[in-house]
Amino acid sequence: TTECHGEVGFYFNNSTLQARPRPTLEMDPTDDTRSQYRYFQNTLDDYSTWNPVVSVGGPLVKNKLFGFFGFMPTFTDTNRKVTFLADGVTGDFTRKDRQHYATGKLDYAPLDKIRVSSSWVWNPGYVRGNLPALQGTDASAVDWKGRGEYTSSQIVMGQVDYVASSKLVTSFRGGYNYFNNTN
């Protein structure tokens, strides 16, 4: 459009707002020779998620160059208390998830019959720390705090449109997608 528009806000969720998890049907974890099953009531992790949002778009040069930019990171912290079955050790564990999402776009009309656009999406994320199984079936000696992963991702795209006539439009597009995961 020929006007600037945007938004600012946030989303929030946490364990207090979450419904109770469903029970899980499992074999007795202390005796795998028993054929008896039981319902295990999963506990709910203590967590909170924040998503701030900001975006703005509009003309940069009247009727020629238009732009848009948006950014929405997600921050989730999860805490879990676990008692390990093998050795009875109890510990508190934390996992921090961070996901970023940014996007930008430029549209340019140098002539009435030619339109040029480019866009970019940036989407890295990382996890710091990991959580052992709720039931305590993992090993207590694992470095849960030291585990995690990083994912980097981005997409770049460009396009040129030529309006030859009212019945013929040609379009040329190209792009690049990058993804990498490290843990």
Side-chain angles (χ1 to χ4, degrees):
T1 71
T2 57
E3 298 177 10
C4 282
H5 294 279
E7 71 173 325
V8 174
F10 72 92
Y11 298 95
F12 173 76
N13 189 18
N14 68 9
S15 50
T16 304
L17 300 173
Q18 182 72 36
R20 191 182 90 188
R22 294 178 181 220
T24 301
L25 184 62
E26 70 176 4
M27 290 181 68
D28 186 339
T30 59
D31 185 0
D32 61 359
T33 61
R34 293 178 59 189
S35 60
Q36 198 126 19
Y37 288 92
R38 68 177 184 146
Y39 276 102
F40 176 84
Q41 179 59 55
N42 294 304
T43 57
L44 184 62
D45 291 329
D46 173 32
Y47 75 91
S48 64
T49 300
W50 288 88
N51 293 96
V53 178
V54 62
S55 67
V56 65
L60 301 173
V61 176
K62 188 175 181 175
N63 296 325
K64 290 288 183 187
L65 180 63
F66 301 88
F68 174 83
F69 175 78
F71 182 60
M72 184 175 129
T74 303
F75 307 103
T76 302
D77 293 341
T78 307
N79 302 301
R80 179 179 292 171
K81 184 179 207 103
V82 174
T83 300
F84 296 95
L85 295 176
D87 54 15
V89 172
T90 298
D92 294 313
F93 303 90
T94 299
R95 174 180 165 141
K96 294 181 180 286
D97 291 81
R98 302 294 184 258
Q99 184 76 38
H100 298 286
Y101 185 81
T103 185
K105 183 171 183 178
L106 290 174
D107 289 309
Y108 179 53
L111 303 169
D112 287 342
K113 293 185 173 253
I114 296 177
R115 302 279 187 258
V116 179
S117 68
S118 65
S119 61
W120 169 68
V121 175
W122 178 67
N123 188 227
Y126 69 86
V127 174
R128 299 285 187 260
N130 214 337
L131 302 172
L134 284 166
Q135 296 86 353
T137 55
D138 290 317
S140 63
V142 172
D143 179 19
W144 297 102
K145 184 178 181 181
R147 292 190 170 191
E149 65 181 57
Y150 175 78
T151 302
S152 76
S153 171
Q154 60 183 318
I155 301 168
V156 179
M157 191 279 297
Q159 177 174 325
V160 177
D161 297 323
Y162 173 66
V163 181
S165 70
S166 63
K167 296 182 180 184
L168 179 63
V169 176
T170 58
S171 184
F172 304 94
R173 299 176 189 178
Y176 173 75
N177 180 16
Y178 174 79
F179 180 82
N180 187 28
N181 184 273
T182 305
N183 60 18

